[in-house]
Amino acid sequence: MGVVNITLDSFSDGGRYVDAPSAIARVAQLAAEGAAIVDLGAESTRPGAERIGAAEQLGRLLPVIEGLSDPPPLSIDTTRAEVADEALRRGATLINDVSAGRDDPELLEVVADHGADLCLMHMRGDPATMQHAPRYDDVVAEVRAFLAERVEAAVAAGVDPAGILIDPGIGFGKTLQHNLALLAGVGELAGLGHPVLVGVSRKSMFGAMLGREVHERLVPSVAAGLAALARGASIVRVHDVADTVDAITVWQAVSGDA
Ligand code: HH2
């Protein structure tokens, strides 16, 4: 999954793709580099980010969705039902909800009505507060239980279980140790019976671990993505598609999965 943030304040690509032509060109580039799906977001989820209303999200997203001449499968990173509805009407196929249906309870019904796919992500608190001393007794068990409960809520709202992805939410209300435990425990999450999506790309855990700045985190991001895939993740959400595809191609060839 390639990432294009149509935002001013995303932590690694904020401001680069905020105008529709640059975002359209970036989506086409990531698809050409091998992204199976491209995730478009109009609201940053970084700690303390400004909330963006539904109308403004749509003002950013729709010109991009409609401007793509040969769109790849599109995912929309939003917690708002209205945004999900309009994007799905225009051909998006997956809604990536970092609140797992808690921010706007109507979102689950919208996804169900469209017969769309849904990614449910774990977050402790909300982006304003999530990094304030997060604590867990057993982070893998607690995230697993949360995701199981949110899958149940989505299915109760009519979402097709076959189209549900789950995500431990690396960096969302977690310390470095929590993030590492969740990456190591991906197999336990996969045991819930849904494909696991993992987003580690350029995240601050690599700053905490290695002292690397955002632009220096490609190698650790690829390494962590491969480690997650090796433990049972199905999808990695990344900014650097070409390099990630190269790494996965070589790893699969060596593992005999190519
Ligand atoms: N991470 C970010 C945003 N959305 N969605 C899922 N499912 N999983 C993630 O790990 C995830 C996500 C944060 O990364 P990014 O989009 O680059 O930054 P920002 O939220 O600042 O736009």
Side-chain angles (χ1 to χ4, degrees), residues 90-126:
R90 288 167 177 80
T93 57
L94 168 65
I95 298 300
N96 172 23
D97 181 357
V98 297
S99 84
R102 296 176 301 156
D103 194 25
D104 182 347
E106 285 173 27
L107 182 135
L108 297 178
E109 280 161 38
V110 164
V111 170
D113 289 346
H114 285 277
D117 296 339
L118 176 65
C119 180
L120 297 167
M121 194 195 81
H122 175 272
M123 171 170 20
R124 171 64 60 85
D126 60 43

Side-chain angles (χ1 to χ4, degrees), residues 125-209:
D126 60 43
T129 59
M130 63 189 181
Q131 288 306 105
H132 296 173
R135 290 177 61 174
Y136 302 82
D137 289 327
D138 179 340
V139 68
V140 177
E142 288 171 50
V143 167
R144 189 181 197 274
F146 169 91
L147 292 171
E149 186 270 319
R150 297 317 299 159
V151 167
E152 236 175 73
V155 173
V159 177
D160 180 357
I164 297 179
L165 311 172
I166 54 175
D167 181 341
I170 298 299
F172 287 85
K174 282 120 192 162
T175 63
L176 170 60
Q177 294 312 321
H178 297 142
N179 290 325
L180 292 172
L182 285 164
L183 289 171
V186 156
E188 287 174 57
L189 304 178
L192 289 174
H194 295 274
V196 177
L197 184 153
V198 166
V200 280
S201 187
R202 304 181 184 173
K203 284 194 174 169
S204 63
M205 65 178 282
F206 304 119
M209 236 180 135

Side-chain angles (χ1 to χ4, degrees), residues 5 10-11 44-45 77 96 98 121 167 172 199 203 237 239:
N5 287 311
S10 287
F11 78 95
S44 171
T45 55
D77 190 343
N96 172 23
V98 297
M121 194 195 81
D167 181 341
F172 287 85
K203 284 194 174 169
R237 178 183 182 277
H239 303 88

